[in-house]
Amino acid sequence: MRRSLLPRLAVPLAFAVQAALVALLFAMYGYGRHLADGRPDEAFANAERVLDLERALRLPDEAALQDTALRWDGWARIANEYYVRVHFPATFLFLAWIWIWRRPAWPRLLAVVAFSLAAALAVHALYPLAPPRLLPGGDFVDLMNVYGPSSYSTEPGEGMTNQFAAMPSLHVGWALLVAWGVIRYGRARLRWLVAAHPVVTLLVVVLTANHYWLDGIVGSAIVVSALAVTVRLEEGRRPGRAGLSARRDSVGA
């Protein structure tokens, strides 16, 4: 009886182990962000440097873009809902899909998540950055505070949430990862529609004044670098199919 039960439990137990590993990575990241919290003077000074660099690069002015968008009603709360409710569920559902239906790719995707979390944590510690919504002067509107819902239940510098960790934006980085993964490993023709996810996410994080353009660019660069570094993890688990991997990797890395 016990022997017949073990094969049935093997897959759920394996999934539970991997889910616990992912949860542990996120817990370590969250705690690390908390330890890196503080240094508001440096965070605000870095914000001015980021804005100056964006002007030098001739990137669109976030404050002017937000002001223009606010002339239309109704979208602000939708954008906040997207920011608060879509990021983590979409990422976790994507990872679950990979483990259940595209398991040869799992080691690579798990490594990408771990790499991006570690890289983001290092940047948070070395380069605290106040998001646009916290900047004085009234150029930006804190849409989460005005329209709700908000991700932050405490004031900056309080609680377990580090609000001076705008750089990089893993919202954008992981939206790119989800889009790449669905296109890379999916089979349905409609999978290409997921390419809108990182574009919408970038616009949402900027228009809600949670991030700068450069936060999204750096977050995307981290994920792309992680995909490039980990490509051999997938090829190594698929002997004799390196040519196929190389061809399919033409959509990303």
Side-chain angles (χ1 to χ4, degrees):
M1 185 70 176
R2 291 182 179 178
R3 290 183 179 180
S4 63
L5 186 61
L6 286 176
R8 297 180 183 177
L9 294 178
V11 172
L13 285 175
F15 181 82
V17 168
Q18 296 302 314
L21 179 57
V22 172
L24 178 61
L25 287 173
F26 277 87
M28 293 173 62
Y29 173 70
Y31 185 64
R33 277 172 56 107
H34 173 65
L35 293 180
D37 199 0
R39 296 149 63 194
D41 292 341
E42 188 175 347
F44 284 108
N46 285 338
E48 293 299 326
R49 296 186 185 98
V50 166
L51 288 173
D52 288 342
L53 179 56
E54 288 188 341
R55 294 188 192 100
L57 294 174
R58 299 186 180 279
L59 293 174
D61 183 277
E62 292 102 333
L65 189 64
Q66 187 193 56
D67 183 64
T68 300
L70 284 173
R71 297 174 188 174
W72 287 272
D73 294 329
W75 68 269
R77 186 172 181 88
I78 296 174
N80 289 339
E81 293 281 359
Y82 193 94
Y83 183 87
V84 173
R85 318 251 185 233
V86 172
H87 173 58
F88 285 113
T91 302
F92 291 146
L93 285 173
F94 167 70
L95 292 175
W97 174 72
I98 289 291
W99 192 89
I100 295 170
W101 282 288
R102 302 292 185 270
R103 202 165 304 169
W106 175 252
R108 184 183 186 189
L109 270 296
L110 182 61
V112 170
V113 169
F115 179 96
S116 57
L117 286 173
L121 194 57
V123 176
H124 297 332
L126 297 173
Y127 197 81
L129 180 64
R133 61 186 179 78
L134 294 182
L135 296 183
D139 291 335
F140 293 94
V141 178
D142 185 347
L143 294 191
M144 290 197 301
N145 185 50
V146 174
Y147 296 95
S150 176
S151 300
Y152 307 102
S153 59
T154 59
E155 293 296 319
E158 299 177 0
M160 286 292 291
T161 303
N162 182 0
Q163 297 192 50
F164 298 121
M167 175 76 74
S169 171
L170 288 184
H171 271 74
V172 177
W174 284 350
L176 181 64
L177 176 64
V178 169
W180 174 88
V182 170
I183 294 171
R184 166 75 169 81
Y185 301 110
R187 294 168 186 161
R189 292 182 180 179
L190 292 178
R191 72 187 188 278
W192 291 95
L193 294 176
V194 77
H197 180 44
V199 177
V200 172
T201 300
L202 177 60
L203 289 175
V204 163
V205 301
V206 169
L207 290 175
T208 56
N210 281 290
H211 289 282
Y212 308 91
W213 296 114
L214 286 176
D215 299 339
I217 292 171
V218 173
S220 299
I222 287 173
V223 167
V224 171
S225 300
L227 286 169
V229 168
T230 58
V231 65
R232 294 295 178 186
L233 283 178
E234 185 178 348
E235 289 183 355
R237 291 175 61 88
R238 301 173 70 178
R241 303 188 66 183
L244 176 60
S245 292
R247 288 196 299 274
R248 293 199 66 183
D249 271 339
S250 63
V251 301

